[in-house]
Amino acid sequence: METLVQKAKKIRLVIFDVDGILTTGKLFYGNNGIELKAFHVYDGIGLKMLQQSGVTVAIITARQSEAVTKRMQDLKINHVYQGQSDKLIAYQELKQKLNLEDEQIAFVGDDLPDLPILRRTGLSITVPNAPVIMQEYTNLVTHTRGGYGAAREVCELIMRAQGTFQGLVDAYVQR
């Protein structure tokens, strides 16, 4: 049986869900109907580092949000699929566009709409605050809750497995 590290070594693309993974999953609406989301800076640094290491980052989410658009622009994440009621369609399109196999892709999701992708990817990950059923279909449950640095944990796991993490940390240490 392939170990988690062996699976992580093969990853060329990591896809994240947004609500419940990059955020706590809570939805906030202002009086004017604008949706507000809180993203953790730890996740942002991790996503940037992962991209610097040569791994592509993408987002597939069922909701459509200007806050997500802005955050992904800030992080220079180019593969952003919002409003995806059937996330598998976006997954297949992205996989084909980047010419990747399932085993080269990791997906981080937290609820039932994520299962079709989680069941296909080489590395499937959920968070401890996800419904318990999700743990049956994933290779890993992060230690950190969604919205509190879980994405950073995933990024570091992959970079450590691929031997790129320390070099990126050293770039900060040597400044």
Side-chain angles (χ1 to χ4, degrees):
M1 184 170 181
E2 196 172 31
T3 69
L4 194 62
V5 171
Q6 289 169 326
K7 289 176 179 285
K9 281 182 180 180
K10 297 177 184 177
I11 300 304
R12 303 306 325 136
L13 167 67
V14 183
I15 305 169
F16 294 89
D17 179 27
V18 174
D19 296 314
I21 300 298
L22 297 179
T23 73
T24 62
K26 295 179 181 177
L27 300 176
F28 298 91
Y29 292 96
N31 289 337
N32 54 6
I34 293 178
E35 184 177 340
L36 306 173
K37 294 185 184 289
F39 298 93
H40 204 294
V41 294
Y42 291 168
D43 290 336
I45 296 284
L47 294 168
K48 286 181 180 180
M49 289 175 68
L50 189 61
Q51 290 178 99
Q52 289 170 349
S53 79
V55 175
T56 302
V57 173
I59 302 299
I60 299 177
T61 180
R63 299 183 60 78
Q64 181 74 42
S65 169
E66 286 300 315
V68 171
T69 300
K70 174 69 172 121
R71 183 64 175 147
M72 296 310 117
Q73 287 171 346
D74 290 348
L75 296 174
K76 297 181 177 32
I77 295 173
N78 299 320
H79 304 287
V80 179
Y81 294 82
Q82 294 193 70
Q84 302 297 309
S85 57
D86 182 349
K87 294 181 180 187
L88 192 55
I89 294 169
Y91 173 77
Q92 298 289 12
E93 180 182 315
L94 187 56
K95 184 174 112 171
Q96 184 176 14
K97 180 191 290 187
L98 298 177
N99 195 28
L100 295 173
E101 299 297 324
D102 290 329
E103 68 179 13
Q104 297 174 293
I105 303 171
F107 185 75
V108 189
D110 70 315
D111 212 347
L112 296 175
D114 301 321
L115 278 179
I117 298 175
L118 285 167
R119 294 184 59 235
R120 286 169 172 78
T121 57
L123 181 58
S124 56
I125 303 165
T126 196
V127 292
N129 50 309
V132 176
I133 188 71
M134 298 303 291
Q135 295 178 22
E136 294 178 27
Y137 295 95
T138 55
N139 303 120
L140 173 70
V141 179
T142 62
H143 296 288
T144 313
R145 294 169 57 86
Y148 292 96
R152 172 74 169 264
E153 184 180 330
V154 170
C155 294
E156 288 188 12
L157 168 85
I158 292 167
M159 289 184 289
R160 286 179 192 277
Q162 296 181 358
T164 58
F165 180 70
Q166 193 58 51
L168 290 165
V169 170
D170 288 347
Y172 285 96
V173 172
Q174 296 169 0
R175 286 186 183 166

